[in-house]
Amino acid sequence: MIVSSGIEDDVDLNRRQLLWAGGGIGAAALLTACGGGTAPGASSDSGARPRAGGTLRVGALGRASAVTRDPHGSQANESDYLVLSLVYDTLTVPGAKPNTLPRLASRWQSSDDLRTWRFTLAEGAAFHDGSPVTAEDVVFSLRRLRGTPSGASRLPGIKAANITAEGTGTVVLVSDYPNAELPQLMRLTTFVVKKGTTDKDITAAPGTGPFKLDWFRGGNARLVRNDDWYGGEVLLDAIEVKIFESPQAMANALLAGQIDLASNVGAVAARTAERRQDVQVVRRPNDMAMPIVMRTADGPFADPRVREALRLAVDREAMVKQVLSGYGTVANDILGTGDPAYAKDVPQRARDLGRARTLLREAGFDLSKTYRLKTTEDVPGLAESATLFAAQVREAGVRIEVVKEESASFWDRTWLKGDLYTTYWGTNDSVVFFASKTMVSDSGTNETAWKNPAFDAAYRKAMATKDPAARAELLHDVQRIQHGSSGYLVWGTADGIDLAAAPVRGLPTLPGYGRVQLERAWLNR
């Protein structure tokens, strides 16, 4: 099966979304089209004609202590990911219809057994220094990515030795198992750098993206237009990125006219801004999941009855109302709620304190102890969700102390290791994404340390199924198993909210990290 699209024909549409992001069509739709797709949407331009020029000043969340310049590193800061995603290109990107679109790869084709995939590079793709992008550059980049601590999760089922070049313009990936969704799973940090780039030189490595790095200082950066970008015309002269540690500080900067765009600013700021005529509120439903992680391998939450009790002790409607100020949707302990293959037929869990207490008693759970729930303030509402969760489960007899950790410490010491902690994912359009990255037994980012042979088998069976409709049905089995026994408590999904000054036009509107794809933005001044 072949998927291709003419990038040059879509100048007026945003073609880029990010690694955790997704379009409106989910996993079941991948590979159903053999022609061009509909690119992601952009904010309304009120009939104004796009114009070139100007500098867009963007605020993004991050902490100076967590700055990452390596395009293959783990980006805890949204500010870092914004910069990297505009300087470097990935092979594929999320879209609307279908949900995976070409980028640095113009098309792809699988073998009949869904194990061998050939990605053809886009014609005219070049690095910022003018040198052409070759298959060897992509092979080097993907192998380097595969060698990172989370490389096995970023390139699931792909060993470094099984990434090879075929001529100058085709990259071949051979999967350990049939994988009908591999192009979708390449919508991550498959950023491409030049072959031979050393770790020492990686921060200065030229990219292929719509903007070039002018300077970078302490998390703040200035990017200038790449006039030779193969993906079409870029209108802005430059983008200046300013790092903010809190959503409120970022929102205040926008209201004071110090920045033009506040990215992922949260519900509190939205309530204030909606009363302002000079501020645009861009709202993206099903944007972010903020699940509570319960470790399943060992520790106090290893017993599935205990995990079920905590899920039953949560008042989900209250969580959405209080934590998200109503800017969100109740969830059902399944990740990927924006996917058309999402299992809506699975009965919605409702609060049942009586049943929760019974399960805790049957499991012999020690109610005399106080358990620690670790969280961060990396995104709006995350720490607040932990506090409200602790108050709610106290009604079932479970005492929890919320511990706020500094971001760098949390990701180094708690993530993947803790018994009970919050996490967040800025995407919700793909059941397959979460299954492959966080739930199969051999995942390098298996957040709950969950090993379930039935789940693994159901996932592999779905991935080995060519027919999209049949694959979607099999993905329902994957979700039913997750709902029944995984280590996730998914109480709701947050709307994504950006604030923009009145002159800003052409902003992306898809859920997830699509908000950072700004090459089609322009200023109506």
Side-chain angles (χ1 to χ4, degrees), residues 189-516:
T189 47
T190 54
F191 296 127
V192 173
V193 298
K194 297 182 73 170
K195 179 182 178 180
T197 301
T198 66
D199 292 347
K200 178 181 177 181
D201 297 331
I202 193 67
T203 60
T208 65
F211 290 87
K212 303 177 182 181
L213 182 65
D214 184 16
W215 53 257
F216 188 98
R217 302 179 191 130
N220 303 306
R222 177 178 170 83
L223 313 174
V224 295
R225 180 176 58 233
N226 176 14
D227 289 319
D228 299 319
W229 187 49
Y230 66 96
E233 182 184 13
V234 180
L235 296 175
L236 292 168
D237 291 332
I239 292 178
E240 292 181 355
V241 178
K242 182 174 178 57
I243 189 172
F244 289 89
E245 290 200 357
S246 76
Q248 193 58 53
M250 182 166 57
N252 289 341
L254 179 113
L255 297 176
Q258 298 167 0
I259 58 176
D260 305 303
L261 175 64
S263 179
N264 196 28
V265 75
V268 174
R271 286 202 309 270
T272 301
E274 284 183 342
R275 297 191 293 267
R276 298 269 302 244
Q277 296 298 314
D278 58 339
V279 176
Q280 304 175 64
V281 178
V282 180
R283 183 171 176 177
R284 301 176 305 276
N286 262 325
D287 189 65
M288 179 174 289
M290 294 188 287
I292 292 170
V293 174
M294 301 173 286
R295 184 173 176 84
T296 66
D298 48 43
F301 309 103
D303 191 316
R305 292 171 295 185
V306 174
R307 300 196 298 274
E308 178 68 7
L310 292 181
R311 285 190 279 256
L312 291 171
V314 172
D315 184 337
R316 297 162 195 263
E317 288 80 7
M319 292 283 280
V320 170
K321 182 178 180 180
Q322 296 180 44
V323 174
L324 305 177
S325 298
Y327 290 90
T329 306
V330 167
N332 194 27
D333 304 314
I334 299 173
L335 289 162
T337 57
D339 193 330
Y342 176 71
K344 296 179 180 178
D345 56 331
V346 174
Q348 172 67 53
R349 273 197 179 90
R351 195 180 202 203
D352 188 339
L353 290 173
R355 178 62 179 158
R357 295 187 189 102
T358 297
L359 287 169
L360 292 169
R361 185 169 58 252
E362 291 175 354
F365 188 72
D366 191 345
L367 295 175
S368 68
K369 291 183 177 180
T370 297
Y371 301 89
R372 306 182 91 192
L373 170 58
K374 297 185 178 180
T375 188
T376 71
E377 295 181 308
D378 282 1
V379 297
L382 193 63
E384 291 81 358
S385 73
T387 300
L388 184 55
F389 169 79
Q392 289 183 350
V393 300
R394 184 69 180 89
E395 296 181 57
V398 180
R399 291 185 291 187
I400 288 179
E401 174 192 4
V402 175
V403 179
K404 295 181 183 179
E405 293 188 327
E406 192 273 333
S407 181
S409 176
F410 175 88
W411 294 107
D412 181 52
R413 300 177 185 177
T414 298
W415 187 56
L416 304 180
K417 306 177 184 72
D419 289 331
L420 188 67
Y421 62 93
T422 62
T423 187
Y424 62 93
W425 291 91
T427 186
N428 245 329
D429 77 322
S430 171
V431 169
V432 169
F433 174 91
F434 288 109
S436 67
K437 306 299 174 190
T438 73
M439 282 178 272
V440 292
S441 296
D442 59 356
S443 169
T445 51
N446 188 329
E447 293 182 313
T448 69
W450 190 46
K451 296 185 184 298
N452 187 303
F455 181 89
D456 294 346
Y459 171 74
R460 293 283 190 264
K461 185 176 180 180
M463 294 303 94
T465 301
K466 242 180 194 181
D467 179 69
R471 189 162 64 252
E473 182 56 37
L474 291 170
L475 286 172
H476 275 57
D477 295 336
V478 169
Q479 295 170 78
R480 291 185 189 102
I481 298 171
Q482 177 190 352
H483 180 268
S485 62
S486 88
Y488 282 114
L489 193 163
V490 191
W491 53 269
T493 59
D495 292 349
I497 300 170
D498 298 340
L499 302 182
V504 180
R505 297 288 187 270
L507 294 176
T509 57
L510 282 180
Y513 280 73
R515 61 183 169 271
V516 305

Side-chain angles (χ1 to χ4, degrees), residues 138-156:
V138 178
V139 169
F140 171 83
S141 300
L142 295 185
R143 287 181 175 179
R144 186 177 187 273
L145 175 63
R146 183 61 176 79
T148 64
S150 59
S153 291
R154 294 177 176 185
L155 292 172

Side-chain angles (χ1 to χ4, degrees), residues 31-211:
L31 303 179
T32 59
C34 292
T38 300
S43 59
S44 172
D45 296 335
S46 302
R49 189 177 185 85
R51 62 185 67 179
T55 297
L56 180 69
R57 302 166 300 167
V58 183
L61 294 173
R63 298 177 186 274
S65 60
V67 165
T68 300
R69 300 287 309 282
D70 189 334
H72 299 143
S74 296
Q75 292 89 32
N77 287 342
E78 291 190 23
S79 53
D80 294 336
Y81 212 103
L82 169 59
V83 172
L84 291 171
S85 67
L86 293 174
V87 172
Y88 300 94
D89 279 324
T90 51
L91 291 176
T92 65
V93 291
K97 294 181 181 180
N99 76 327
T100 299
L101 291 177
R103 187 62 162 211
L104 197 54
S106 62
R107 64 181 184 135
W108 45 88
Q109 182 176 11
S110 72
S111 59
D112 287 341
D113 65 1
L114 299 175
R115 291 190 58 188
T116 301
W117 286 86
R118 285 175 168 80
F119 292 82
T120 301
L121 301 185
E123 185 176 351
F127 289 103
H128 293 158
D129 63 4
S131 58
V133 179
T134 69
E136 292 288 351
D137 295 317
V138 178
V139 169
F140 171 83
S141 300
L142 295 185
R143 287 181 175 179
R144 186 177 187 273
L145 175 63
R146 183 61 176 79
T148 64
S150 59
S153 291
R154 294 177 176 185
L155 292 172
I158 306 295
K159 294 184 174 65
N162 292 332
I163 306 170
T164 59
E166 189 174 88
T168 60
T170 301
V171 179
V172 181
L173 284 78
V174 180
S175 175
D176 293 342
Y177 51 84
N179 192 341
E181 304 284 11
L182 184 62
Q184 186 199 80
L185 299 176
M186 300 292 285
R187 306 180 311 172
L188 302 176
T189 47
T190 54
F191 296 127
V192 173
V193 298
K194 297 182 73 170
K195 179 182 178 180
T197 301
T198 66
D199 292 347
K200 178 181 177 181
D201 297 331
I202 193 67
T203 60
T208 65
F211 290 87

Side-chain angles (χ1 to χ4, degrees), residues 7-53:
I7 293 179
E8 296 82 6
D9 296 334
D10 293 301
V11 171
D12 294 329
L13 295 175
N14 185 336
R15 300 289 303 247
R16 300 194 64 193
Q17 303 298 323
L18 263 192
L19 98 142
W20 295 335
I25 301 298
L30 182 59
L31 303 179
T32 59
C34 292
T38 300
S43 59
S44 172
D45 296 335
S46 302
R49 189 177 185 85
R51 62 185 67 179

